Amino acid sequence: MGRLFGTDGVRGVANTELTGEMAFQLGRAGAYVLTKETKHAPRILVGMDTRISGDMLEAALVAGICSVGAHAVLAGIVPTPAVAYLVRKYRLDAGVVISASHNPVEYNGIKFFNSQGYKLSDDLEDEIENIILSHPEILPSPTGASIGTHTVAEDALDDYIAFLGSTTKEKFDGIKVALDCANGASYKAAPITLLNLGAKLCIIHNEPDGTNINERCGSTHMEDLKAFVKENKADIGFAFDGDADRCLAVDENGELIDGDKILAICGLDMKEKGTLKNDTIVGTVMSNLGLTMMGREKGISIEQAGVGDRYVLERMIEAERNLGGEQSGHIIFLDHNTTGDGILTAIQLLSVMKRTGKKASELAKAMEVMPQVLVNARVNNAKKNTYMEVPAIRHAIAKLEEEFSADGRVLIRTSGTEPLIRVMIEGKDMERMEKAAKELAAFIEKTLQ
């Protein structure tokens, strides 16, 4: 698999790339690195999404955790942000989520949280990886009564739902909400939470069978939700991804409200209430120019972090910000949780609607979206991180950057989880941008096979 950790944990095709053996090794090394400073037998929370491979990987991961003398606490199927929250609530030593987020069912992943509910730094991931690849002999192998055990956290989902309900003072009576649960980890938590808060619901893609997670549904396939909102005359719709750490919305007319617009809506509301720290929102280099323009007009600074919610979070902690996120719908409300939380995002957006009495489409006018084109080049995975070492590619990118320097911008980046190089162009002329992005992506694809 090359380097084990990507931008969001370890990912791969389950049972060929991300094998049971790898999960066992990650359980051993992760438990050791994250808990070696504790003076007690450590306890580690384990949650997962609805993928069929989850049971296999959970068994192997838990075996690894127990083999170094740590104890596993099984939360079952819960959203990723539930693990981030419950690690703190239960005062556990670490958390692990078995999920490949928005990826298709054949993929799975393993990502860790520390005792404070934060994703790991690059340094800690490197330490885990180094042990697995080079120094497995340093891991303890206790015997007898020192071997770890596992227990089940029976109230995990209920405790997470209670937490979500506590993040707003509003009741959503009179608001009709459409949900697309992506046949994933939000399939219980999202409906129960919003029903508890008084919303009227209509729901699709809420019957996971282990194989249909993210299948033409959820936050990466918004078409069904757009049509569903209009058919059911809903006031707003929300789509989550497989592990529910991201959320996108659809207004009452079926128009997309992406992560940048959600940041604009919630950021403006927080600024008006005086709760937006330093009047600053943390976005990424992929954030639409319209977000920056909104910020200039409304007196809100927009900072750019690297792509990936962990990098947004690092910037938020370092600079004392409490709102940040990505266009893809990873939104972090740091006053409430330590990672992107899709259901929490839906609650905060509904709270703005309820408090202001405005329709979703009216709130979405908070920022004007500048046209943006994103084209993926599918390349040899072993070559994707060295594309700038190829002179012809470097020259083609420089030429494109010069072409759009006056009225737009060009951003090229690799996917942390898939064999893709993403070509993004932002500007005013959609036809020109699409042509240029497709040409560059095709050239990169051909060159890096």
Side-chain angles (χ1 to χ4, degrees):
M1 290 177 67
R3 187 178 190 277
L4 301 182
F5 285 89
T7 55
D8 199 19
V10 178
R11 286 214 191 144
V13 175
N15 217 26
T16 59
E17 294 176 329
L18 182 56
T19 60
E21 290 86 349
M22 176 57 67
F24 176 74
Q25 292 169 6
L26 284 164
R28 280 174 60 76
Y32 173 75
V33 168
L34 289 173
T35 65
K36 61 186 177 182
E37 304 300 326
T38 61
K39 304 299 181 187
H40 58 268
R43 295 188 302 151
I44 299 174
L45 188 67
V46 179
M48 62 181 180
D49 67 21
T50 57
R51 285 162 216 273
I52 195 169
S53 58
D55 289 345
M56 172 191 77
L57 293 172
E58 181 192 54
L61 180 78
V62 169
I65 289 169
C66 294
S67 76
V68 293
H71 299 289
V73 181
L74 308 187
I77 295 172
V78 292
T80 286
V83 172
Y85 166 71
L86 294 171
V87 161
R88 291 175 284 131
K89 177 177 174 59
Y90 297 160
R91 298 183 180 177
L92 303 181
D93 299 289
V96 194
V97 178
I98 302 166
S99 173
S101 189
H102 62 285
N103 290 134
V105 66
E106 62 267 23
Y107 290 87
N108 216 324
I110 293 173
K111 51 189 168 187
F112 292 91
F113 291 89
N114 65 19
S115 61
Q116 300 304 307
Y118 292 117
K119 290 181 180 178
L120 305 192
S121 66
D122 289 338
D123 288 344
L124 273 178
E125 288 185 343
D126 287 344
E127 188 178 349
I128 293 170
E129 187 164 311
N130 186 49
I131 289 173
I132 292 172
L133 298 179
S134 304
H135 298 288
E137 73 281 354
I138 73 171
L139 296 172
S141 293
T143 58
S146 298
I147 292 173
T149 59
H150 83 266
T151 55
V152 176
E154 302 281 0
D155 297 326
L157 189 64
D158 290 341
D159 287 341
Y160 175 59
I161 288 169
F163 151 71
L164 289 170
S166 74
T167 64
T168 182
K169 295 177 181 177
E170 307 298 330
K171 290 293 181 184
F172 304 143
D173 306 75
I175 301 180
K176 188 173 185 180
V177 180
L179 295 179
D180 178 347
C181 295
N183 293 313
S186 67
Y187 83 105
K188 287 184 180 177
I192 294 171
T193 300
L194 294 180
L195 283 171
N196 287 348
L197 290 169
K200 183 179 179 182
L201 297 185
C202 47
I203 310 171
I204 50 172
H205 304 306
N206 199 45
E207 298 180 352
D209 63 10
T211 65
N212 59 1
I213 187 171
N214 298 320
E215 185 179 11
R216 295 186 297 279
C217 60
S219 61
T220 51
H221 299 85
M222 298 293 290
E223 297 79 14
D224 279 8
L225 182 62
K226 289 177 177 180
F228 191 65
V229 165
K230 289 193 288 184
E231 285 167 14
N232 288 273
K233 295 182 170 55
D235 298 301
I236 192 167
F238 297 104
F240 309 106
D241 64 339
D243 69 335
D245 66 351
R246 68 168 80 176
C247 167
L248 294 178
V250 171
D251 72 17
E252 73 279 6
N253 302 313
E255 297 297 321
L256 176 67
I257 301 175
D258 68 9
D260 287 340
K261 284 196 170 186
I262 293 171
L263 285 173
I265 294 166
C266 293
L268 283 168
D269 182 67
M270 289 169 68
K271 184 176 189 291
E272 287 173 14
K273 292 189 299 180
T275 60
L276 184 65
K277 280 190 180 177
N278 302 297
D279 288 341
T280 300
I281 297 170
V282 179
T284 76
V285 293
M286 294 289 283
S287 296
N288 191 276
L289 280 175
L291 185 61
T292 301
M293 291 161 62
M294 178 281 301
R296 284 198 202 112
E297 184 183 330
K298 302 294 186 180
I300 296 175
S301 298
I302 308 296
E303 295 179 343
Q304 292 188 338
V307 175
D309 64 330
R310 56 190 285 229
Y311 300 116
V312 172
L313 179 62
E314 282 177 11
R315 176 60 189 164
M316 291 173 70
I317 295 169
E318 171 191 298
E320 297 187 352
R321 316 304 191 205
N322 63 344
L323 177 64
E326 301 184 279
Q327 195 178 66
S328 61
H330 280 122
I331 311 295
I332 303 171
F333 294 89
L334 200 50
D335 293 336
H336 299 297
N337 208 348
T338 51
T339 191
D341 189 325
I343 304 173
L344 173 62
T345 299
I347 289 169
Q348 299 309 305
L349 197 49
L350 283 167
S351 297
V352 179
M353 283 182 67
K354 188 67 176 182
R355 203 161 40 245
T356 62
K358 293 180 179 179
K359 291 184 176 181
S361 59
E362 190 177 352
L363 291 174
K365 293 175 183 174
M367 69 166 269
E368 181 184 355
V369 175
M370 292 288 283
Q372 196 177 61
V373 171
L374 179 64
V375 180
N376 291 326
R378 186 164 289 275
V379 300
N380 184 322
N381 203 44
K383 298 179 181 178
K384 75 175 183 182
N385 291 314
T386 58
Y387 69 93
M388 284 300 282
E389 295 174 17
V390 181
I393 292 176
R394 196 165 60 242
H395 175 72
I397 292 171
K399 185 178 177 184
L400 199 61
E401 287 174 337
E402 184 180 348
E403 181 184 338
F404 283 90
S405 60
D407 59 353
R409 65 173 181 140
V410 175
L411 180 68
I412 315 295
R413 57 175 285 267
T414 57
S415 166
T417 58
E418 298 176 88
L420 302 174
I421 292 176
R422 306 191 193 280
V423 178
M424 191 272 278
I425 304 178
E426 204 166 39
K428 297 177 180 177
D429 188 336
M430 198 69 174
E431 188 176 335
R432 177 178 159 229
M433 291 189 301
E434 282 183 348
K435 182 173 182 293
K438 286 177 181 176
E439 286 176 354
L440 180 59
F443 178 69
I444 291 173
E445 201 165 278
K446 181 180 176 183
T447 307
L448 295 183
Q449 288 307 312

